[in-house]
Amino acid sequence: MNNANRTIVSRRARPAKEPLSREVIVKQAFLLLREEGISGLSMRKVAKALDTGASSLYVYVKDLQELSSYVLDYGLTHVELPDSDDGSWKSNLFAALLSYQQVLYKDPGIAELALTTTPLGPHSLDLSEYLLKQLAASGIQPASAAWAMDLLLMYAASSAFEHVSWSKNEKRSFTLMKEAYLSADASRFPFIHSHKSELFSGDLPKDERFLWGLEVILQGTLKLDHGME
């Protein structure tokens, strides 16, 4: 075999690897999540992508659950929190939740993590702090504000995940389900038939249904809180 034209690359000529850190691990895990979905989020795959052993990761994160929590927080980087000095507490509350929902929608894996993982990190804390501040401005009691925040975040996450699921993975299933409802026998299913135009209305891009849901949770909270006084 002729090796005359063979080029030997020295190890020293290779680009130096970025030193391992929790930030590097979380960023790589986020990229794998974006590329492969939730199945891409494993210690083994992250370690392989970083050209290291899985055991090396445990110096920086305790386990996959903790890594998932930090990845979720990293995914919330682009949630926009309006200046509290602009607009009303309610408009600010809804704007922040709409931004949260849209961020989750753009990164399907993050939407799933939001439903299954406890967030850890500054972005998650910033969001919670902001929502509690707006709810407190409504004058409701601390317990009502805390519980309402949980409901609102859960609703936003489930809404985002539902849209991601239908649009990315199960579009055909959604189409079949929609066709079944729209073609339901009027004599057997009179209420489905009479509401068929509304059953699938109000979604993206205007998000009327999502905002309506936020209003329902908020008004229910305000009414119950006043009843507790």
Side-chain angles (χ1 to χ4, degrees), residues 4 12 31-32 44 49 65 72 86-87 92 102 122 131 157-158 168 170 178 185 192 194 200 202 204 207 211 222 225:
R12 295 182 180 180
L31 293 175
L32 285 171
R44 181 183 61 79
Q65 182 178 359
L72 170 57
D86 299 330
N92 289 334
Q102 291 173 342
L131 297 180
S158 61
K168 303 294 183 181
E170 302 176 16
K178 184 176 181 179
D185 184 351
I192 290 178
S194 64
F200 301 96
L204 298 173
D207 282 308
L211 293 172
L222 294 172
D225 184 80

Side-chain angles (χ1 to χ4, degrees), residues 5 30-31 42-43 46-47 59 63 65 81 123-125 130 138 141 143-144 147 166 168 197 203 205 220 226:
N5 297 321
F30 175 78
L31 293 175
S42 75
M43 301 296 274
V46 173
V59 176
D63 50 29
Q65 182 178 359
L81 306 176
H123 300 108
S124 304
L125 292 173
Y130 185 87
S138 72
Q141 300 177 60
S144 296
W147 298 348
W166 289 129
K168 303 294 183 181
S197 297
D203 281 323
H226 293 331

